[in-house]
Amino acid sequence: MPVLFCNQCCIMRSMTTNERIDHLERLLEVVRGLTTAPDLESFLQTVINEATELTNSELSSILEYDKSAEELRFLAMHWFQRDLLRPMGVPLDGSAAGWVYRRGQPLMIQDTKMDQRHFKVVDRVTRHETHSLVAVPLMVRGEVVGVLEALNKKDNAHYTEEDLTILETLGALAAQAMQNVSLQQKVRATAIELAELERLKTDFIAIASHELRTPLGLILGHATFLRETAGTDHAEQLDIIIRNATRLKEIVENLSDVDNVQTGVARVRNQKVSLAKIVGDVILTFQDEAKARNITLRSELGDSPFYLDADEVKLGIAVSNLVKNALQFTESGGHVTVKVQEDAGHFKVSVIDDGIGISAKDLPRVFERFFQVETHLTRRYGGMGLGLAVAKAMIELHNGRIWVESEEGKGSTFTFLIPVKQTQPLAPTSNPFVE
Ligand code: ADP
């Protein structure tokens, strides 16, 4: 075994090739532990055990910076020191770990009697005398999050550059593991927040659709009765009431549709229906509005009736919502076309417009409940952001799928595919609003 004597009379032993290979194998095992260790605590325990053995030290520990206390706290240590070190804080000033943390640089003290940076309180509490140490910062994306230190090189030896490299490697792995756990915690917290938001949306839809329906029905009923009996007196005002109450009714119906699907009570009537008729009826409903806005609204159906197993009302709602949007987001002089084609056991329906289009950033979100491209403060167009969510739910109730292709300023094409024959029963097997 090659042995060197340094000028301070301590023994420095250089490593043999076999020892180096052994060290590398052990470090590799720690790397593997990054993905296989059951939890952070056991991984950090492995790190300090290896730090102790590979640097031939008496002890090692990992300290983490505690933002609220503004000091370092022991995160991992040898089991026999646990009860003493856990409650203890190490100040940033007057400690070797604090020095390393503050500067983000490693530190080697070969003799603590000659170098006063060591924090003596820990020694007093643990009744252990530190005479040498090596410490490295734990870095996460350029930020120091803690410190890994090894104490008391055995056999009266000095710490070497090799020890420092080993500690830096172990420190990088410990920092990576700490970051992984912190990211996992953030992802978990975000998922909980999202679930809570989803629950609020669901509750709001249920409450709004139930509570608004009855008073709205009464307003519409009485206003229509007055409009018929009051002759021309106040006809204009009553028309305004009826028009706006009808608009509100549409919104409540959208809310009810969503509520029925999300609570699983949506009943789907499976009958032989003609897609050509459904599309024709929708075109007829919106033709006056299209003409008034100087938009060409037409269908491309050919002669086929496009019979399929479906719920006529629900498919009608889906097509109607798509056409309503296409008209709403198309300027005067524009075109809206509804195309139906047969495609390998499916019918493919496309609603094509040459309107304002949707930006690439908004495209993935348009089918979400309450999503609208415009913010509520600067809105030019009406709506609640439910039309597409309802259309999607209606198509998915039929075991179909819906998607959109669009380019800002050029127009949008909403397409759905729906099976001609239903092989599964038409009932909601899962809530389409939950990913
Ligand atoms: P709303 O009922 O408010 O229109 P939708 O769920 O139907 O809500 O649509 C969500 C958003 O998607 C709309 O606010 C609009 O920004 C965008 N959008 C939907 N259809 C089109 C379309 N054909 N062209 C451009 N934007 C559209």
Side-chain angles (χ1 to χ4, degrees), residues 415-430:
T415 307
F416 65 82
L417 268 184
I418 191 157
V420 177
K421 291 251 170 287
Q422 294 291 340
T423 47
Q424 305 162 34
L426 281 181
T429 47
S430 65

Side-chain angles (χ1 to χ4, degrees), residues 321-322 325-326 328-329 353 356-358 366 368 371-374 379 382-389 412 414:
N321 286 359
L322 297 181
N325 277 346
Q328 190 169 21
F329 297 105
D353 69 59
I356 63 169
I358 304 165
V366 290
E368 284 176 21
F371 178 80
Q372 291 182 308
V373 170
E374 290 183 302
R379 291 182 56 197
M384 285 264 288
L386 284 175
L388 291 178
S412 311
F414 283 84

Side-chain angles (χ1 to χ4, degrees), residues 158-412:
H158 269 188
Y159 280 115
T160 62
E161 285 300 317
E162 215 134 12
D163 293 329
L164 194 60
T165 307
I166 286 170
L167 223 56
E168 276 174 336
T169 309
L170 289 168
L173 295 171
Q176 183 64 51
M178 284 158 74
Q179 190 197 15
N180 288 353
V181 167
S182 127
L183 286 177
Q184 272 168 15
Q185 280 165 350
K186 276 189 198 144
V187 168
R188 232 172 274 142
T190 312
I192 291 171
E193 249 172 59
L194 275 179
E196 179 59 12
L197 279 176
E198 277 302 308
R199 195 187 60 76
L200 286 176
K201 272 190 199 176
T202 305
D203 287 357
F204 169 77
I205 289 169
I207 292 165
S209 70
H210 292 139
E211 299 306 315
L212 296 179
R213 183 187 284 275
T214 313
L216 201 54
L218 288 171
I219 292 171
L220 251 181
H222 285 282
T224 312
F225 172 74
L226 282 177
R227 176 72 179 85
E228 279 163 10
T229 54
T232 51
D233 284 352
H234 306 298
E236 204 179 315
Q237 287 86 347
L238 285 166
D239 279 343
I240 293 173
I241 294 175
I242 292 169
R243 223 177 21 252
N244 283 286
T246 307
R247 173 81 200 97
L248 271 179
K249 189 168 160 262
E250 279 172 21
I251 292 175
V252 171
E253 274 165 5
N254 262 338
L255 287 169
S256 294
D257 287 337
V258 174
D259 185 41
N260 288 340
V261 173
Q262 68 193 8
T263 52
V265 300
R267 283 198 309 121
V268 193
R269 290 155 65 94
N270 189 7
Q271 288 172 330
K272 187 176 173 192
V273 296
S274 157
L275 197 51
K277 179 176 176 301
I278 292 173
V279 170
D281 286 350
V282 172
I283 299 262
L284 210 60
T285 309
F286 286 102
Q287 202 53 266
D288 286 349
E289 185 189 328
K291 284 206 175 97
R293 298 200 34 230
N294 189 28
I295 295 170
T296 309
L297 171 62
R298 62 186 195 88
S299 59
E300 271 182 31
L301 296 167
D303 297 328
S304 167
F306 295 107
Y307 283 122
L308 80 166
D309 300 332
D311 185 314
E312 188 165 2
V313 174
K314 292 192 165 43
L315 266 196
I317 290 172
V319 178
S320 170
N321 286 359
L322 297 181
V323 171
K324 190 170 8 153
N325 277 346
L327 289 174
Q328 190 169 21
F329 297 105
T330 299
E331 311 286 350
S332 169
H335 305 80
V336 173
T337 307
V338 186
K339 224 187 212 177
V340 184
Q341 293 159 293
E342 186 155 7
D343 184 1
H346 289 73
F347 289 141
K348 184 172 163 190
V349 180
S350 303
V351 179
I352 307 154
D353 69 59
D354 52 7
I356 63 169
I358 304 165
S359 71
K361 116 177 133 42
D362 293 316
L363 265 185
R365 300 196 57 199
V366 290
F367 291 101
E368 284 176 21
R369 291 171 298 172
F370 299 118
F371 178 80
Q372 291 182 308
V373 170
E374 290 183 302
T375 66
H376 288 272
L377 296 176
T378 59
R379 291 182 56 197
R380 283 191 299 144
Y381 306 98
M384 285 264 288
L386 284 175
L388 291 178
V390 170
K392 179 170 184 269
M394 298 302 150
I395 298 303
E396 288 179 359
L397 284 173
H398 287 86
N399 304 313
R401 63 184 193 90
I402 184 167
W403 68 94
V404 56
E405 291 148 291
S406 184
E407 200 177 323
E408 217 170 354
K410 296 223 166 129
S412 311

